[in-house]
Amino acid sequence: MTNFGKVISVIEEIIQILILLIIIATAIMAVSFKDLLAAVISLAATSLLLSLEFYILQAPDVAIAEAGIGAALTTAIFILAIKGTVRREEL
Amino acid sequence: MMSKIVRTITNILYSSILIFGFYIIMHGHLTPGGGFQGGAVVASGIALVLIAYGYDTVKSWMKKSNLSVLESIGALGFIGIAFLGIGTTFFYNFLANSGGLFGDPTVIGINPGNLDTSGVLPLMNWAVGLKVLAGLGSVVLLMAYGIRKGDEE
Amino acid sequence: MRKYVLLAALLIVSGFMLLSAVDMHPFGSPDREDMDKYFINNAQEEVSANNVVTSIVFDYRGFDTLGEATVLFTAVVGVSLIFRRLIK
């Protein structure tokens, strides 16, 4: 039984490290994209993975708030702003 | 007005999102979540419909003035419920374990939960949920209105 | 010049973060836990709610939620003031 629990905890730690690495990758993508719509989508992916990480750390309250505010509403506001202005970033 | 793919997915998803948000508000004292989280989920559903269909379609079934009234009702209800317990202290939970509305005593320990417990917490959840829903929804609605005006000129 | 300033800032910030990460507690065992123990043991009996987080947010720390609601109200008032100029 203890052996099984140890295997589960190791798998959990590997999943956490993978999620954190993908969060960093999507954050760098959000900074470096020239297409602003793609940058907004990768920012939403960052927020969604962050809420998954909160859920793994056993804080489902914060996970729901992060998924609602960070992944949905902020994306909606940014998409409205892109509709009002231009889509490509000018250098 | 977005493309046909976005509109189809919105038709499938938005009712589920609204029902999930109201479920989070209603069961805030039993399951994870609460007024703020549920209101944010409902407001994200409103924002999804608004982005997919544009301001002119949403304007017919949701007015900004109604949302302002709803937000004021939420805020005044929250402060009013807080003032009702002022016989002891501000924010006193005067309904818990009293046997009246939401007044059943809960079972100590791990239990599946009873919707009729925990005093003023469900009422405050509804008040804060209405307030957050109407506040964030009116923010997104006002921004969409500004974009539409920018398109015309 | 700008590159060197950015590199120095990055090194300093990551150095502070690594320093605090080395010194961190093990997960789930905070320094002071009297308040946590009180909430976990007594919240279900006093507030009679199953969700201890909600009973803290709306009952024990109600003033905090009142401040958060005020912040949200101020944000909505600010946005509607800015976009009111567009309505003729």
Side-chain angles (χ1 to χ4, degrees):
Chain A
M1 192 61 197
T2 53
N3 215 354
F4 184 69
K6 210 175 281 180
V7 169
I8 289 292
S9 75
V10 166
I11 290 176
E12 218 179 79
E13 223 159 272
I14 290 173
I15 289 176
Q16 282 192 25
I17 292 171
L18 273 180
I19 287 175
L20 291 175
L21 285 180
I22 302 174
I23 284 176
I24 294 175
T26 47
I28 293 174
M29 276 158 64
V31 174
S32 63
F33 268 136
K34 289 285 179 275
D35 187 353
L36 289 179
L37 199 59
V40 167
I41 298 299
S42 45
L43 200 64
T46 307
S47 288
L48 205 61
L49 286 167
L50 191 61
S51 84
L52 186 61
E53 176 67 28
F54 281 137
Y55 183 73
I56 290 176
L57 290 177
Q58 303 185 2
D61 278 288
V62 192
I64 296 173
E66 176 74 31
I69 300 281
L73 269 176
T74 318
T75 313
I77 289 175
F78 275 136
I79 286 178
L80 281 178
I82 288 174
K83 261 171 97 177
T85 54
V86 292
R87 183 170 164 179
R88 303 287 307 181
E89 182 179 0
E90 313 273 338
L91 276 181
Chain B
M1 189 78 93
M2 281 263 183
S3 66
K4 194 162 187 174
I5 300 172
V6 179
R7 274 182 283 146
T8 310
I9 296 294
T10 304
N11 285 339
I12 297 170
L13 272 185
Y14 85 98
S15 56
S16 314
I17 293 177
L18 294 189
I19 288 172
F20 181 59
F22 284 121
Y23 161 78
I24 289 177
I25 297 176
M26 180 181 274
H27 289 230
H29 55 293
L30 299 178
T31 55
F36 187 79
Q37 286 91 352
V41 170
V42 175
S44 72
I46 294 174
L48 179 65
V49 177
L50 195 65
I51 284 182
Y53 279 98
Y55 177 78
D56 290 328
T57 316
V58 180
K59 187 182 64 177
S60 59
W61 58 277
M62 188 188 307
K63 274 190 184 157
K64 198 254 161 197
S65 51
N66 295 349
L67 283 182
S68 299
V69 170
L70 213 61
E71 186 184 8
S72 305
I73 285 175
L76 288 179
F78 184 59
I79 298 178
I81 293 167
F83 263 115
L84 279 182
I86 208 161
T88 310
T89 48
F90 200 52
F91 277 106
Y92 180 66
N93 196 343
F94 64 100
L95 280 176
N97 296 323
S98 70
L101 180 70
F102 295 119
D104 288 356
T106 187
V107 186
I108 308 297
I110 299 173
N111 56 338
N114 177 9
L115 204 59
D116 199 16
T117 54
S118 74
V120 297
L121 259 64
L123 304 174
M124 280 185 178
N125 268 326
W126 273 106
V128 173
L130 279 183
K131 183 178 159 42
V132 173
L133 183 164
L136 295 178
S138 65
V139 164
V140 184
L141 217 63
L142 275 169
M143 286 188 173
Y145 188 85
I147 300 305
R148 192 196 66 134
K149 277 295 176 187
D151 271 349
E152 274 182 1
E153 289 163 4
Chain C
M1 183 60 201
R2 190 159 170 266
K3 243 177 206 177
Y4 290 119
V5 171
L6 284 179
L7 190 64
L10 180 68
L11 281 181
I12 288 172
V13 170
S14 48
F16 272 118
M17 284 192 172
L18 281 178
L19 208 68
S20 59
V22 166
D23 224 11
M24 209 156 56
H25 293 285
F27 184 72
S29 58
D31 232 3
R32 310 255 183 278
E33 48 182 358
D34 305 339
M35 200 67 115
D36 312 354
K37 285 281 182 280
Y38 179 79
F39 283 144
I40 291 170
N41 291 329
N42 294 359
Q44 211 179 13
E45 186 180 356
E46 286 179 359
V47 193
S48 84
N50 275 342
N51 190 354
V52 179
V53 177
T54 304
S55 69
I56 289 172
V57 165
F58 285 106
D59 196 316
Y60 290 110
R61 300 281 181 266
F63 273 111
D64 205 351
T65 310
L66 187 62
E68 174 226 303
T70 314
V71 166
L72 188 71
F73 186 76
T74 315
V76 174
V77 167
V79 169
S80 59
L81 267 180
I82 289 174
F83 282 90
R84 183 56 58 91
R85 284 173 52 198
L86 297 170
I87 302 172
K88 285 167 189 156

mmCIF file of all heavy atoms in Angstrom, chain C residues 32-63:
data_model
loop_
_atom_site.group_PDB
_atom_site.id
_atom_site.type_symbol
_atom_site.label_atom_id
_atom_site.label_comp_id
_atom_site.label_asym_id
_atom_site.label_seq_id
_atom_site.Cartn_x
_atom_site.Cartn_y
_atom_site.Cartn_z
ATOM 1 N N ARG C 32 2.949 28.974 11.690
ATOM 2 C CA ARG C 32 1.959 29.173 12.754
ATOM 3 C C ARG C 32 0.675 28.476 12.336
ATOM 4 O O ARG C 32 0.135 28.758 11.268
ATOM 5 C CB ARG C 32 1.687 30.663 12.905
ATOM 6 C CG ARG C 32 2.913 31.501 13.033
ATOM 7 C CD ARG C 32 3.099 31.959 14.443
ATOM 8 N NE ARG C 32 4.241 32.822 14.563
ATOM 9 C CZ ARG C 32 5.500 32.376 14.666
ATOM 10 N NH1 ARG C 32 5.750 31.088 14.618
ATOM 11 N NH2 ARG C 32 6.489 33.233 14.809
ATOM 12 N N GLU C 33 0.151 27.603 13.165
ATOM 13 C CA GLU C 33 -1.039 26.867 12.745
ATOM 14 C C GLU C 33 -2.127 26.850 13.806
ATOM 15 O O GLU C 33 -3.013 26.020 13.759
ATOM 16 C CB GLU C 33 -0.668 25.450 12.329
ATOM 17 C CG GLU C 33 0.214 24.735 13.308
ATOM 18 C CD GLU C 33 0.590 23.362 12.802
ATOM 19 O OE1 GLU C 33 0.133 23.005 11.732
ATOM 20 O OE2 GLU C 33 1.333 22.667 13.494
ATOM 21 N N ASP C 34 -2.105 27.782 14.767
ATOM 22 C CA ASP C 34 -3.174 27.810 15.773
ATOM 23 C C ASP C 34 -4.506 28.187 15.138
ATOM 24 O O ASP C 34 -5.538 27.549 15.376
ATOM 25 C CB ASP C 34 -2.828 28.819 16.875
ATOM 26 C CG ASP C 34 -1.484 28.532 17.491
ATOM 27 O OD1 ASP C 34 -1.046 27.378 17.364
ATOM 28 O OD2 ASP C 34 -0.890 29.446 18.079
ATOM 29 N N MET C 35 -4.487 29.262 14.310
ATOM 30 C CA MET C 35 -5.713 29.734 13.662
ATOM 31 C C MET C 35 -6.270 28.675 12.712
ATOM 32 O O MET C 35 -7.489 28.436 12.701
ATOM 33 C CB MET C 35 -5.391 31.012 12.895
ATOM 34 C CG MET C 35 -6.575 31.838 12.583
ATOM 35 S SD MET C 35 -7.251 32.491 14.079
ATOM 36 C CE MET C 35 -6.970 34.205 13.840
ATOM 37 N N ASP C 36 -5.390 28.026 11.940
ATOM 38 C CA ASP C 36 -5.854 26.992 11.009
ATOM 39 C C ASP C 36 -6.523 25.858 11.760
ATOM 40 O O ASP C 36 -7.592 25.391 11.381
ATOM 41 C CB ASP C 36 -4.686 26.412 10.212
ATOM 42 C CG ASP C 36 -3.814 27.470 9.626
ATOM 43 O OD1 ASP C 36 -4.189 28.644 9.739
ATOM 44 O OD2 ASP C 36 -2.776 27.124 9.073
ATOM 45 N N LYS C 37 -5.895 25.426 12.839
ATOM 46 C CA LYS C 37 -6.469 24.318 13.623
ATOM 47 C C LYS C 37 -7.834 24.718 14.183
ATOM 48 O O LYS C 37 -8.778 23.923 14.163
ATOM 49 C CB LYS C 37 -5.518 23.958 14.759
ATOM 50 C CG LYS C 37 -4.304 23.198 14.314
ATOM 51 C CD LYS C 37 -4.635 21.732 14.083
ATOM 52 C CE LYS C 37 -3.394 20.976 13.693
ATOM 53 N NZ LYS C 37 -3.066 21.155 12.287
ATOM 54 N N TYR C 38 -7.964 25.988 14.652
ATOM 55 C CA TYR C 38 -9.251 26.425 15.186
ATOM 56 C C TYR C 38 -10.333 26.389 14.116
ATOM 57 O O TYR C 38 -11.432 25.879 14.334
ATOM 58 C CB TYR C 38 -9.144 27.842 15.756
ATOM 59 C CG TYR C 38 -10.453 28.348 16.304
ATOM 60 C CD1 TYR C 38 -10.891 27.952 17.555
ATOM 61 C CD2 TYR C 38 -11.264 29.185 15.554
ATOM 62 C CE1 TYR C 38 -12.093 28.372 18.041
ATOM 63 C CE2 TYR C 38 -12.479 29.613 16.038
ATOM 64 C CZ TYR C 38 -12.883 29.203 17.293
ATOM 65 O OH TYR C 38 -14.080 29.619 17.770
ATOM 66 N N PHE C 39 -9.994 26.931 12.914
ATOM 67 C CA PHE C 39 -10.996 26.950 11.844
ATOM 68 C C PHE C 39 -11.381 25.539 11.439
ATOM 69 O O PHE C 39 -12.563 25.227 11.292
ATOM 70 C CB PHE C 39 -10.456 27.700 10.625
ATOM 71 C CG PHE C 39 -10.472 29.180 10.792
ATOM 72 C CD1 PHE C 39 -9.467 29.954 10.262
ATOM 73 C CD2 PHE C 39 -11.492 29.799 11.465
ATOM 74 C CE1 PHE C 39 -9.472 31.313 10.410
ATOM 75 C CE2 PHE C 39 -11.515 31.156 11.621
ATOM 76 C CZ PHE C 39 -10.494 31.910 11.089
ATOM 77 N N ILE C 40 -10.383 24.656 11.277
ATOM 78 C CA ILE C 40 -10.689 23.312 10.782
ATOM 79 C C ILE C 40 -11.515 22.535 11.808
ATOM 80 O O ILE C 40 -12.431 21.798 11.465
ATOM 81 C CB ILE C 40 -9.376 22.583 10.437
ATOM 82 C CG1 ILE C 40 -8.736 23.220 9.218
ATOM 83 C CG2 ILE C 40 -9.627 21.126 10.157
ATOM 84 C CD1 ILE C 40 -7.358 22.733 8.950
ATOM 85 N N ASN C 41 -11.232 22.741 13.110
ATOM 86 C CA ASN C 41 -11.945 21.957 14.112
ATOM 87 C C ASN C 41 -13.329 22.518 14.422
ATOM 88 O O ASN C 41 -14.242 21.757 14.727
ATOM 89 C CB ASN C 41 -11.121 21.900 15.403
ATOM 90 C CG ASN C 41 -9.875 21.064 15.229
ATOM 91 O OD1 ASN C 41 -9.880 20.125 14.443
ATOM 92 N ND2 ASN C 41 -8.813 21.407 15.930
ATOM 93 N N ASN C 42 -13.501 23.857 14.396
ATOM 94 C CA ASN C 42 -14.736 24.427 14.922
ATOM 95 C C ASN C 42 -15.657 25.025 13.874
ATOM 96 O O ASN C 42 -16.792 25.360 14.205
ATOM 97 C CB ASN C 42 -14.417 25.530 15.941
ATOM 98 C CG ASN C 42 -13.743 24.964 17.156
ATOM 99 O OD1 ASN C 42 -13.531 23.770 17.234
ATOM 100 N ND2 ASN C 42 -13.402 25.813 18.101
ATOM 101 N N ALA C 43 -15.195 25.202 12.622
ATOM 102 C CA ALA C 43 -16.017 25.942 11.658
ATOM 103 C C ALA C 43 -17.292 25.187 11.327
ATOM 104 O O ALA C 43 -18.355 25.780 11.214
ATOM 105 C CB ALA C 43 -15.222 26.210 10.395
ATOM 106 N N GLN C 44 -17.200 23.866 11.207
ATOM 107 C CA GLN C 44 -18.388 23.107 10.804
ATOM 108 C C GLN C 44 -19.461 23.159 11.887
ATOM 109 O O GLN C 44 -20.644 23.154 11.590
ATOM 110 C CB GLN C 44 -17.975 21.674 10.534
ATOM 111 C CG GLN C 44 -18.822 21.023 9.476
ATOM 112 C CD GLN C 44 -18.384 19.624 9.204
ATOM 113 O OE1 GLN C 44 -17.609 19.051 9.940
ATOM 114 N NE2 GLN C 44 -18.880 19.073 8.125
ATOM 115 N N GLU C 45 -19.034 23.245 13.155
ATOM 116 C CA GLU C 45 -20.006 23.288 14.242
ATOM 117 C C GLU C 45 -20.601 24.681 14.402
ATOM 118 O O GLU C 45 -21.806 24.844 14.589
ATOM 119 C CB GLU C 45 -19.302 22.865 15.529
ATOM 120 C CG GLU C 45 -20.226 22.719 16.713
ATOM 121 C CD GLU C 45 -19.451 22.296 17.941
ATOM 122 O OE1 GLU C 45 -18.224 22.061 17.817
ATOM 123 O OE2 GLU C 45 -20.042 22.239 19.002
ATOM 124 N N GLU C 46 -19.772 25.719 14.285
ATOM 125 C CA GLU C 46 -20.252 27.075 14.584
ATOM 126 C C GLU C 46 -21.080 27.658 13.460
ATOM 127 O O GLU C 46 -22.115 28.280 13.694
ATOM 128 C CB GLU C 46 -19.062 27.990 14.871
ATOM 129 C CG GLU C 46 -18.445 27.722 16.218
ATOM 130 C CD GLU C 46 -17.259 28.614 16.471
ATOM 131 O OE1 GLU C 46 -16.916 29.413 15.583
ATOM 132 O OE2 GLU C 46 -16.685 28.496 17.550
ATOM 133 N N VAL C 47 -20.610 27.508 12.204
ATOM 134 C CA VAL C 47 -21.324 28.098 11.075
ATOM 135 C C VAL C 47 -22.279 27.088 10.460
ATOM 136 O O VAL C 47 -23.193 27.463 9.744
ATOM 137 C CB VAL C 47 -20.310 28.626 10.038
ATOM 138 C CG1 VAL C 47 -20.965 29.503 9.023
ATOM 139 C CG2 VAL C 47 -19.227 29.380 10.727
ATOM 140 N N SER C 48 -22.082 25.815 10.731
ATOM 141 C CA SER C 48 -22.868 24.697 10.222
ATOM 142 C C SER C 48 -22.849 24.641 8.698
ATOM 143 O O SER C 48 -23.840 24.325 8.074
ATOM 144 C CB SER C 48 -24.301 24.718 10.735
ATOM 145 O OG SER C 48 -25.098 25.557 9.951
ATOM 146 N N ALA C 49 -21.693 24.965 8.097
ATOM 147 C CA ALA C 49 -21.527 24.812 6.654
ATOM 148 C C ALA C 49 -20.464 23.760 6.404
ATOM 149 O O ALA C 49 -19.491 23.659 7.155
ATOM 150 C CB ALA C 49 -21.112 26.128 6.018
ATOM 151 N N ASN C 50 -20.639 22.985 5.338
ATOM 152 C CA ASN C 50 -19.644 21.970 5.027
ATOM 153 C C ASN C 50 -18.382 22.572 4.439
ATOM 154 O O ASN C 50 -17.297 22.055 4.633
ATOM 155 C CB ASN C 50 -20.223 20.968 4.028
ATOM 156 C CG ASN C 50 -20.991 19.891 4.726
ATOM 157 O OD1 ASN C 50 -20.838 19.692 5.923
ATOM 158 N ND2 ASN C 50 -21.820 19.206 4.000
ATOM 159 N N ASN C 51 -18.539 23.671 3.695
ATOM 160 C CA ASN C 51 -17.404 24.265 2.998
ATOM 161 C C ASN C 51 -16.732 25.268 3.928
ATOM 162 O O ASN C 51 -17.244 26.356 4.165
ATOM 163 C CB ASN C 51 -17.922 24.952 1.737
ATOM 164 C CG ASN C 51 -16.812 25.386 0.832
ATOM 165 O OD1 ASN C 51 -15.656 25.276 1.183
ATOM 166 N ND2 ASN C 51 -17.151 25.880 -0.319
ATOM 167 N N VAL C 52 -15.582 24.895 4.462
ATOM 168 C CA VAL C 52 -14.921 25.734 5.460
ATOM 169 C C VAL C 52 -14.401 27.022 4.828
ATOM 170 O O VAL C 52 -14.411 28.082 5.462
ATOM 171 C CB VAL C 52 -13.787 24.934 6.129
ATOM 172 C CG1 VAL C 52 -13.074 25.769 7.154
ATOM 173 C CG2 VAL C 52 -14.342 23.711 6.795
ATOM 174 N N VAL C 53 -13.991 26.950 3.553
ATOM 175 C CA VAL C 53 -13.475 28.149 2.887
ATOM 176 C C VAL C 53 -14.554 29.221 2.781
ATOM 177 O O VAL C 53 -14.336 30.401 3.083
ATOM 178 C CB VAL C 53 -12.927 27.777 1.492
ATOM 179 C CG1 VAL C 53 -12.465 29.007 0.774
ATOM 180 C CG2 VAL C 53 -11.804 26.809 1.622
ATOM 181 N N THR C 54 -15.774 28.813 2.386
ATOM 182 C CA THR C 54 -16.864 29.783 2.294
ATOM 183 C C THR C 54 -17.247 30.319 3.662
ATOM 184 O O THR C 54 -17.588 31.499 3.801
ATOM 185 C CB THR C 54 -18.074 29.142 1.608
ATOM 186 O OG1 THR C 54 -17.672 28.657 0.354
ATOM 187 C CG2 THR C 54 -19.166 30.136 1.410
ATOM 188 N N SER C 55 -17.187 29.457 4.694
ATOM 189 C CA SER C 55 -17.547 29.960 6.018
ATOM 190 C C SER C 55 -16.521 30.956 6.525
ATOM 191 O O SER C 55 -16.865 31.872 7.273
ATOM 192 C CB SER C 55 -17.685 28.807 7.003
ATOM 193 O OG SER C 55 -16.432 28.245 7.260
ATOM 194 N N ILE C 56 -15.255 30.833 6.100
ATOM 195 C CA ILE C 56 -14.276 31.860 6.471
ATOM 196 C C ILE C 56 -14.528 33.132 5.683
ATOM 197 O O ILE C 56 -14.548 34.234 6.236
ATOM 198 C CB ILE C 56 -12.841 31.341 6.236
ATOM 199 C CG1 ILE C 56 -12.502 30.271 7.264
ATOM 200 C CG2 ILE C 56 -11.838 32.467 6.359
ATOM 201 C CD1 ILE C 56 -11.216 29.579 7.005
ATOM 202 N N VAL C 57 -14.779 32.988 4.361
ATOM 203 C CA VAL C 57 -14.894 34.169 3.502
ATOM 204 C C VAL C 57 -16.114 35.001 3.857
ATOM 205 O O VAL C 57 -16.053 36.231 3.899
ATOM 206 C CB VAL C 57 -14.936 33.719 2.019
ATOM 207 C CG1 VAL C 57 -15.418 34.839 1.139
ATOM 208 C CG2 VAL C 57 -13.582 33.284 1.574
ATOM 209 N N PHE C 58 -17.257 34.338 4.167
ATOM 210 C CA PHE C 58 -18.480 35.096 4.393
ATOM 211 C C PHE C 58 -18.822 35.302 5.852
ATOM 212 O O PHE C 58 -19.713 36.081 6.150
ATOM 213 C CB PHE C 58 -19.653 34.416 3.698
ATOM 214 C CG PHE C 58 -19.657 34.610 2.232
ATOM 215 C CD1 PHE C 58 -19.306 33.597 1.377
ATOM 216 C CD2 PHE C 58 -19.986 35.835 1.703
ATOM 217 C CE1 PHE C 58 -19.285 33.785 0.026
ATOM 218 C CE2 PHE C 58 -19.973 36.026 0.355
ATOM 219 C CZ PHE C 58 -19.617 35.002 -0.483
ATOM 220 N N ASP C 59 -18.206 34.553 6.774
ATOM 221 C CA ASP C 59 -18.597 34.703 8.170
ATOM 222 C C ASP C 59 -17.467 35.231 9.044
ATOM 223 O O ASP C 59 -17.573 36.299 9.641
ATOM 224 C CB ASP C 59 -19.082 33.351 8.694
ATOM 225 C CG ASP C 59 -19.861 33.501 9.981
ATOM 226 O OD1 ASP C 59 -19.405 34.258 10.833
ATOM 227 O OD2 ASP C 59 -20.912 32.859 10.127
ATOM 228 N N TYR C 60 -16.363 34.484 9.111
ATOM 229 C CA TYR C 60 -15.285 34.932 9.998
ATOM 230 C C TYR C 60 -14.609 36.184 9.477
ATOM 231 O O TYR C 60 -14.240 37.071 10.230
ATOM 232 C CB TYR C 60 -14.237 33.829 10.154
ATOM 233 C CG TYR C 60 -14.702 32.643 10.935
ATOM 234 C CD1 TYR C 60 -14.914 31.424 10.310
ATOM 235 C CD2 TYR C 60 -14.918 32.718 12.292
ATOM 236 C CE1 TYR C 60 -15.329 30.337 11.017
ATOM 237 C CE2 TYR C 60 -15.342 31.627 13.009
ATOM 238 C CZ TYR C 60 -15.545 30.434 12.369
ATOM 239 O OH TYR C 60 -15.962 29.364 13.067
ATOM 240 N N ARG C 61 -14.419 36.249 8.149
ATOM 241 C CA ARG C 61 -13.728 37.395 7.554
ATOM 242 C C ARG C 61 -14.669 38.128 6.608
ATOM 243 O O ARG C 61 -14.351 38.332 5.438
ATOM 244 C CB ARG C 61 -12.492 36.917 6.800
ATOM 245 C CG ARG C 61 -11.481 36.200 7.641
ATOM 246 C CD ARG C 61 -10.646 37.176 8.420
ATOM 247 N NE ARG C 61 -9.653 36.468 9.202
ATOM 248 C CZ ARG C 61 -9.816 36.101 10.463
ATOM 249 N NH1 ARG C 61 -10.937 36.344 11.088
ATOM 250 N NH2 ARG C 61 -8.852 35.477 11.114
ATOM 251 N N GLY C 62 -15.844 38.529 7.112
ATOM 252 C CA GLY C 62 -16.823 39.159 6.247
ATOM 253 C C GLY C 62 -16.405 40.526 5.753
ATOM 254 O O GLY C 62 -16.736 40.923 4.645
ATOM 255 N N PHE C 63 -15.633 41.248 6.577
ATOM 256 C CA PHE C 63 -15.200 42.588 6.162
ATOM 257 C C PHE C 63 -14.312 42.542 4.930
ATOM 258 O O PHE C 63 -14.348 43.445 4.103
ATOM 259 C CB PHE C 63 -14.445 43.258 7.301
ATOM 260 C CG PHE C 63 -15.337 43.991 8.246
ATOM 261 C CD1 PHE C 63 -15.531 43.545 9.532
ATOM 262 C CD2 PHE C 63 -16.005 45.123 7.834
ATOM 263 C CE1 PHE C 63 -16.357 44.210 10.392
ATOM 264 C CE2 PHE C 63 -16.833 45.796 8.685
ATOM 265 C CZ PHE C 63 -17.015 45.338 9.970
#
